[in-house]
């Protein structure tokens, strides 16, 4: 398998963490890309009409995107792990937490793009601030539920939330999210000791 990726993408990190937990990292080659919200990268577009990462190219040439689909596919290759619980409350809880983390990331990325991808004369502070309100609302839920989040046998919910908080560290250090969310901060600190998280820190390289 081949993964079109960007080392700064939190959605790529979500896939890479999942692959590491499932013991599949060695089966996935990382292909470089120049993913950009404005300028399409033809190397991605030939496999994914959205020209976004992550995009996974399977051995038979089929492609999968986005991170939700890719992670569930990887989990299907290792059903003994259960990154996506099969049924019942555990499944809906994991999927709900995945949605919360993805929603936090969606809002954070839109806030970042407002200042990095949009020309300065077209930037809208109100839009960016509205996205950061969503980020804060997600942080409040993570803080409330932090004591119930796993640190060892992770589901896709914890993977996504961990990557989301890591993205805030990477791109929004000024938010200092830990100051008002001590429970989430303690959980995230424990999570960061896992090899899957250590091996996938985002970088500008």
């Amino acid at each position: 398998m081949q993964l079109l990726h960007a080392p700064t993408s939190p959605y790529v990190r979500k896939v890479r963490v999942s692959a590491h937990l499932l013991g599949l990292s060695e089966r996935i080659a990382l292909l470089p890309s120049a993913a950009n919200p404005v300028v399409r990268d033809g190397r991605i577009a030939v496999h994914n009409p959205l020209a976004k990462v992550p995009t996974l190219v399977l051995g038979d040439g089929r492609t999968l995107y986005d991170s939700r689909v890719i992670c569930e596919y990887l989990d299907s290759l290792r059903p003994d792990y259960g990154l996506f619980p099969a049924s019942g409350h555990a499944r809906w809880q994991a999927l709900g937490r995945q949605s919360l983390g993805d929603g936090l990331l969606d809002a954070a990325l839109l806030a970042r793009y407002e200042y990095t991808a949009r020309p300065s004369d077209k930037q809208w502070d109100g839009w960016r601030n509205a996205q950061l309100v969503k980020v804060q609302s997600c942080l409040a839920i993570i803080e409330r539920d932090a004591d119930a989040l796993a640190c060892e046998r992770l589901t896709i919910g914890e993977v996504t939330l961990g990557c989301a908080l890591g993205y805030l560290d990477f791109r929004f250090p000024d938010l200092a999210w830990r100051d008002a969310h001590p429970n989430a901060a303690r959980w995230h600190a424990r999570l960061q000791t896992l090899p899957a998280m250590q091996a996938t820190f985002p970088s500008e390289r």
Side-chain angles (χ1 to χ4, degrees):
M1 295 178 284
Q2 298 176 314
L3 182 70
L4 284 150
H5 87 297
T8 59
S9 167
Y11 298 108
V12 168
R13 189 184 189 196
K14 179 180 163 185
V15 170
R16 294 186 63 206
V17 169
S18 297
H20 197 287
L21 291 171
L22 296 166
L24 297 172
S25 294
E26 299 289 326
R27 294 173 55 181
I28 301 175
L30 300 178
L31 302 183
S33 75
N36 186 284
V38 178
V39 181
R40 286 169 66 84
D41 183 344
R43 291 172 296 181
I44 311 172
V46 71
H47 298 291
N48 178 349
L50 300 172
K52 296 172 68 174
V53 294
T55 294
L56 185 69
V57 183
L58 304 181
D60 60 6
R62 290 178 298 148
T63 58
L64 297 175
Y65 45 85
D66 56 7
S67 65
R68 296 182 185 216
V69 175
I70 295 171
C71 289
E72 189 156 8
Y73 173 76
L74 295 178
D75 190 54
S76 76
L77 302 180
R78 284 290 310 277
D80 55 310
Y81 185 94
L83 193 65
F84 287 77
S87 62
H89 174 72
R91 177 171 178 81
W92 302 118
Q93 183 178 70
L95 293 180
R97 287 172 175 166
Q98 176 180 222
S99 291
L100 179 67
D102 282 343
L104 189 161
L105 285 173
D106 289 345
L109 283 163
L110 287 173
R112 174 173 164 75
Y113 290 158
E114 190 64 25
Y115 285 177
T116 61
R118 192 181 297 277
S120 58
D121 62 327
K122 294 181 171 60
Q123 292 171 5
W124 182 11
D125 290 342
W127 169 265
R128 184 176 188 272
N129 292 337
Q131 304 311 312
L132 293 179
V133 167
K134 296 177 185 179
V135 169
Q136 292 295 342
S137 294
C138 292
L139 284 169
I141 300 302
I142 299 171
E143 173 69 7
R144 183 195 70 189
D145 296 343
D147 289 344
L149 297 175
C151 292
E152 295 179 357
R153 191 76 171 187
L154 307 185
T155 71
I156 193 60
E158 286 91 6
V159 169
T160 309
L161 295 178
C163 291
L165 295 177
Y167 184 74
L168 294 184
D169 287 340
F170 182 54
R171 291 302 196 194
F172 293 88
D174 54 306
L175 287 183
W177 63 267
R178 289 174 176 79
D179 292 351
H181 306 92
N183 295 329
R186 283 192 295 271
W187 171 74
H188 190 249
R190 294 195 300 272
L191 191 75
Q192 292 309 296
T193 65
L194 296 180
M197 302 301 288
Q198 291 283 320
T200 57
F201 280 116
S203 74
E204 296 282 6
R205 73 184 193 286

